[in-house]
Amino acid sequence: PVVTGALGGTAGRRTGTAQAETVYVADNSAGTVTPISTITNMPGKPIRVARGTTAIAVTPDGKTVYVADWRADTVTPITTATGTPGKPIKVGKAPDRIAITPDGQTAYVANFGSNTVTPITTATNTPGKPIRVGGEPSAIAVTRDGKTAYVVNGVGHPGWGTVTPITTATNTAGKPIRVGGDPLAIAVTRDGRTAYVVSFTAGTVTPITTATNTPGKPIKVGKEPSALVIVP
């Protein structure tokens, strides 16, 4: 399963002084998304999407959850207020990760099987022109100012790995940034100055200075690191 969360208000409710939140869990085999209330820790009715769910993301306002379907090459929007799925959006082959801009206007979908990123305009749920990136993109993160999306390429290829910066204003890809082999994950600091990339086979985390898109010295960590998170 893959998981994301939506804040209360438009996507939840208030109970006394506690604000309800919802956790959405995508089940690959069942082809469903299950909402879980954090107030009761009880699951709601599963929402049917399609088999092959590999990624899930929620808009900043909590109104929509986007679910990628690896097998159907689609992304399905779910309206959180009603729990109803919308019409699947056709993207590239084998969509693997989704990142949404801080203003909620665009969802970027990394298509593992077609070496592209598809931008989706959330107001209309229409896909834009695919953006060519490196081989087998498997992770994506957007800076807090929404100006750049960083796409990790090269999972499954220990000998090489890159990060492609995408300028969101024009949806154009910049020069690939070399990192360690078999990169799996990326996160950007809140101030937007640094992106950190985990490289599985290299056993490193590479810091990238976003102002110049230059990689710093790889930081040696444990064997086969696969994820990271930045604490505010």
Side-chain angles (χ1 to χ4, degrees):
V2 285
V3 183
T4 191
L7 293 177
T10 56
R13 56 185 173 79
R14 288 185 179 274
T15 304
T17 59
Q19 182 172 343
E21 296 182 344
T22 305
V23 175
Y24 288 88
V25 183
D27 190 304
N28 187 296
S29 297
T32 59
V33 173
T34 300
I36 298 174
S37 167
T38 60
I39 298 297
T40 63
N41 282 336
M42 295 294 292
K45 182 181 179 181
I47 304 164
R48 177 67 60 183
V49 282
R51 295 187 66 183
T53 52
T54 53
I56 188 168
V58 64
T59 53
D61 61 10
K63 292 182 178 180
T64 310
V65 168
Y66 287 89
V67 186
D69 185 339
W70 175 281
R71 299 181 185 180
D73 302 334
T74 59
V75 170
T76 299
I78 296 173
T79 301
T80 58
T82 60
T84 54
K87 182 180 178 181
I89 305 161
K90 196 69 175 178
V91 292
K93 186 177 180 180
D96 193 38
R97 290 293 183 268
I98 306 172
I100 299 176
T101 54
D103 61 12
Q105 294 184 8
T106 309
Y108 286 93
V109 184
N111 304 305
F112 184 88
S114 58
N115 303 335
T116 60
V117 170
T118 300
I120 295 174
T121 301
T122 58
T124 58
N125 284 331
T126 54
K129 182 180 178 181
I131 305 162
R132 178 67 60 177
V133 291
E136 299 179 350
S138 59
I140 186 169
V142 180
T143 55
R144 193 170 175 82
D145 61 10
K147 292 182 178 181
T148 309
Y150 286 93
V151 186
V152 170
N153 315 292
V155 63
H157 297 275
W160 57 276
T162 63
V163 174
T164 300
I166 295 175
T167 301
T168 59
T170 57
N171 284 334
T172 53
K175 182 180 178 180
I177 306 161
R178 179 68 62 180
V179 292
D182 211 3
L184 279 180
I186 186 168
V188 183
T189 56
R190 287 176 65 86
D191 62 13
R193 294 180 180 179
T194 310
Y196 288 90
V197 184
V198 168
S199 295
F200 184 78
T201 53
T204 60
V205 173
T206 301
I208 296 173
T209 301
T210 58
T212 58
N213 285 332
T214 53
K217 182 179 179 180
I219 305 161
K220 195 67 179 177
V221 291
K223 185 179 179 181
E224 299 181 346
S226 59
L228 79 165
V229 65
I230 295 176
V231 179

